[in-house]
Amino acid sequence: MPGLLEIHNLSKSFDATKVINDFSMEVVEGTLCCLVGPNGAGKTTTMDLVTGRIKPTSGKVIFAGEDITAKHEHVIARAGIGRKFQVPAVLRDLTVRQNLEVAYSRQTNPFWNLFKFRKAGLKEKLDEIATLGGLSGRLNERAGILSHGETQWLEISMVLMQEPRLLLMDEPIAGMTEGEIEKTARIFKDLRKTATLIVVEHDMGFVREIADVVTVMHMGSLLATGTISEIEADARVRDVYLGEKEAA
Ligand SMILES: Nc1ncnc2c1ncn2[C@@H]1O[C@H](COP(=O)(O)OP(=O)(O)OP(=O)(O)O)[C@@H](O)[C@H]1O
């Protein structure tokens, strides 16, 4: 079965520096892939290339069988690739519910959204996503009073409102408490039932908890890919990545 996302021989140079070097990976629909690697390995740049934020020097990105390499960022988003960045972009003065409505309609006027969401189906969809994101009891709270973890879950839920087939996340647990990390792992396990995910992550404990597949990058290239047990047993990975962390 072809992957929902296929990256073929991707390279990217900034001026004379090649930061992505003939990198290939495939993500099968319904799986959660963790993209790991030392600082500067090229993980964020790869995500930028997949979402069309920047364009590769060579290589191809295929999504759901379609070549999206040359497409504009907004076209790629509309095709079903959602991204949650590390820095939250919630509207702090609106409630959790209003933020989710804005994410769906892309309209920041709460009154417009109030009418729109009375239409059949949308309220149910919002409630379902709020439950998935662990926010069903917080819908009427102002987003500005949420904890850091809750704000991250709201952001994830906002991306889900756009119904992405593939969801990319940059270090989603950065700054979270232990309890929030555990809850985030549970949310991700639920998400995997309906979406395909790529999570860029440094915390190997969290990766162990959530990943179906782990892909390791090193100096812009693929170093290894496999289950977490295969990756942890791989001497090359230990040398360049885990070894480096132990030494830090
Ligand atoms: N716009 C740019 N111009 C020049 N070099 C860049 C640019 N963007 C990224 N780089 C370089 O590309 C390399 C890969 O960076 P990238 O942020 O993709 O790594 P990363 O694996 O996400 O690292 P980290 O884990 O620290 O976030 C780094 O050496 C970085 O300095």
Side-chain angles (χ1 to χ4, degrees):
M1 188 171 67
L4 177 64
L5 181 78
E6 294 168 44
I7 297 178
H8 294 286
N9 310 101
L10 212 57
S11 292
K12 175 71 183 173
S13 298
F14 292 109
D15 300 321
T17 318
K18 204 168 202 179
V19 300
I20 304 295
N21 187 5
D22 200 27
F23 177 70
S24 299
M25 77 181 271
E26 184 175 292
V27 183
V28 172
E29 184 139 39
T31 60
L32 190 155
C33 171
C34 282
L35 188 59
V36 306
N39 291 333
K43 306 177 294 289
T44 305
T45 307
T46 302
M47 296 299 97
D48 288 346
L49 288 164
V50 169
T51 55
R53 199 174 197 208
I54 55 174
K55 294 294 163 198
T57 313
S58 60
K60 266 190 198 168
V61 181
I62 311 285
F63 176 63
E66 194 188 344
D67 187 343
I68 58 164
T69 321
K71 299 215 184 295
H72 285 290
E73 195 173 5
H74 67 274
V75 176
I76 293 173
R78 246 188 283 128
I81 300 186
R83 185 172 187 182
K84 187 214 156 301
F85 289 94
Q86 223 176 321
V87 183
V90 304
L91 299 163
R92 296 173 56 83
D93 290 333
L94 298 188
T95 64
V96 169
R97 179 186 296 283
Q98 287 168 336
N99 268 280
L100 292 173
E101 289 172 349
V102 168
Y104 178 80
S105 66
R106 296 166 204 256
Q107 275 279 345
T108 49
N109 181 339
F111 295 104
W112 191 90
N113 285 329
L114 189 66
F115 290 113
K116 172 114 185 158
F117 273 76
R118 281 193 185 153
K119 279 193 192 166
L122 292 181
K123 189 186 168 299
E124 286 71 16
K125 173 190 157 98
L126 189 147
D127 288 344
E128 211 175 279
I129 287 174
T131 304
L132 198 61
L135 292 166
S136 51
R138 308 288 271 160
L139 280 168
N140 297 320
E141 303 285 356
R142 205 171 56 79
I145 68 151
L146 298 181
S147 71
H148 171 72
E150 288 172 324
T151 308
Q152 298 293 320
W153 301 328
L154 174 55
E155 271 252 312
I156 293 169
S157 304
M158 286 168 76
V159 182
L160 290 175
M161 286 301 286
Q162 292 154 24
E163 299 187 316
R165 275 181 82 181
L166 175 67
L167 179 52
L168 313 181
M169 291 197 238
D170 272 316
E171 300 189 34
I173 60 164
M176 283 191 185
T177 63
E178 282 300 315
E180 288 172 337
I181 292 173
E182 272 171 37
K183 188 164 168 186
T184 307
R186 284 201 298 277
I187 292 172
F188 281 14
K189 283 177 191 163
D190 282 343
L191 272 182
R192 212 166 35 175
K193 295 173 193 156
T194 53
T196 306
L197 293 99
I198 303 179
V199 180
V200 171
E201 189 50 66
H202 279 288
D203 184 322
M204 289 309 279
F206 186 64
V207 169
R208 207 172 292 126
E209 212 30 49
I210 62 166
D212 295 307
V213 176
V214 182
T215 295
V216 188
M217 288 189 84
H218 179 51
M219 296 173 78
S221 299
L222 176 71
L223 181 70
T225 191
T227 63
I228 184 71
S229 324
E230 287 165 348
I231 291 304
E232 287 182 327
D234 190 318
R236 292 167 310 155
V237 176
R238 282 212 300 273
D239 278 357
V240 308
Y241 181 55
L242 304 171
E244 181 181 282
K245 287 213 110 176
E246 275 158 19

